[in-house]
Amino acid sequence: MSALRRDSMPPTRPTVVAFDVNETLLDLGPVRAALVELGQPADLLPAVFSRTLLTGFAAATAGTWCRFREAFDAALAQATDLGDAERSRVADAFLELAPHPDVEPALRRLVEAGVRVVTLTHGSPGVAEAGLERGGVSPLVERSLSSEVIRAWKPAREVYLWAAGVCDVEPARLALIASHGWDVHGALRAGLTAAWFPRTERTYPAVYDPAALVAGDLAGAVDALLALPPA
């Protein structure tokens, strides 16, 4: 099921589709497991991950910047009594992530349709690459982009425009697929097409710009983008 964005410029089929990485493509299970191994509750990860985003967003909004790993370490220090080495061990688990089962067929469908695929994250460089390699889907992805290169966090407008520039396409020809409403909102504000589907969020937040496309799952988000009319 999908809903078109309510504005005067209906979206068109993208040339490039960028995917958010953490949770959208890669399962954070290994990070949760690392926390459990250190005696932390299994349900702690969502709170720590949310606090990580809060830390990064707040720093960027205030005019400073920190790396994702630094924000994650700060979130762990606030939420647990883990020592430096233990927190580093948990952060290292991001390099053990693997794709969700629905990722490979979704990426393959885009590539077979002639659409270029990239990843776009504010996460640490190497995390997306390691996860894609572990899942055997690296050949389906043209490149992995981390906004650490420009010292910025999504959902800042500059991140999406930078990605469009790196991919050598106009923003309107770049689409983002993410399971985070704030990410979709940022992409829309930068002039991209964007599709949201539920992974850990139940609904697309009503306080944001309406998503260009809302789908019931990842496959539906891909199908909805491919069904858009050509530019």
Side-chain angles (χ1 to χ4, degrees):
M1 181 177 179
S2 64
L4 287 179
R5 183 173 56 193
R6 297 188 297 273
D7 63 19
S8 59
M9 296 293 292
T12 57
R13 179 169 170 156
T15 301
V16 184
V17 172
F19 284 87
D20 172 53
V21 175
N22 290 328
E23 295 188 318
T24 298
L25 289 185
L26 301 184
D27 185 353
L28 299 186
V31 181
R32 179 180 295 104
L35 285 168
V36 171
E37 288 174 4
L38 291 170
Q40 301 301 311
D43 60 357
L44 178 64
L45 179 58
V48 170
F49 188 70
S50 294
R51 185 174 288 275
T52 299
L53 297 177
L54 171 64
T55 301
F57 294 172
T61 301
T64 59
W65 178 79
C66 63
R67 292 181 173 84
F68 180 90
R69 185 178 177 112
E70 294 167 341
F72 183 74
D73 183 74
L76 277 179
Q78 290 178 312
T80 73
D81 59 359
L82 297 175
D84 291 351
E86 292 173 318
R87 297 198 308 273
S88 181
R89 176 178 163 188
V90 177
D92 287 344
F94 275 93
L95 291 172
E96 301 173 8
L97 305 186
H100 292 284
D102 56 358
V103 168
E104 192 277 340
L107 300 186
R108 187 170 300 282
R109 174 135 166 71
L110 286 169
V111 171
E112 290 177 348
V115 177
R116 296 159 57 195
V117 173
V118 301
T119 62
L120 178 61
T121 182
H122 46 220
S124 302
V127 170
E129 294 89 334
L132 296 172
E133 183 68 28
R134 182 170 290 104
V137 296
S138 292
L140 300 174
V141 178
E142 180 179 293
R143 65 176 73 196
S144 293
L145 303 174
S146 170
S147 64
E148 281 197 6
V149 172
I150 58 170
R151 297 171 67 89
W153 283 65
K154 296 184 293 179
R157 177 185 176 88
E158 63 188 295
V159 175
Y160 308 100
L161 298 182
W162 167 72
V166 171
C167 295
D168 196 26
V169 295
E170 293 295 322
R173 303 309 305 278
L174 174 63
L176 177 81
I177 294 180
S179 60
H180 301 125
W182 55 262
D183 201 357
V184 167
H185 180 60
L188 291 171
R189 301 296 290 178
L192 278 62
T193 298
W196 176 90
F197 72 98
R199 183 79 84 185
T200 58
E201 299 175 352
R202 293 173 62 88
T203 61
Y204 182 77
V207 296
Y208 294 153
D209 286 352
L213 298 158
V214 172
D217 53 25
L218 177 56
V222 167
D223 287 345
L225 288 174
L226 291 178
L228 292 173

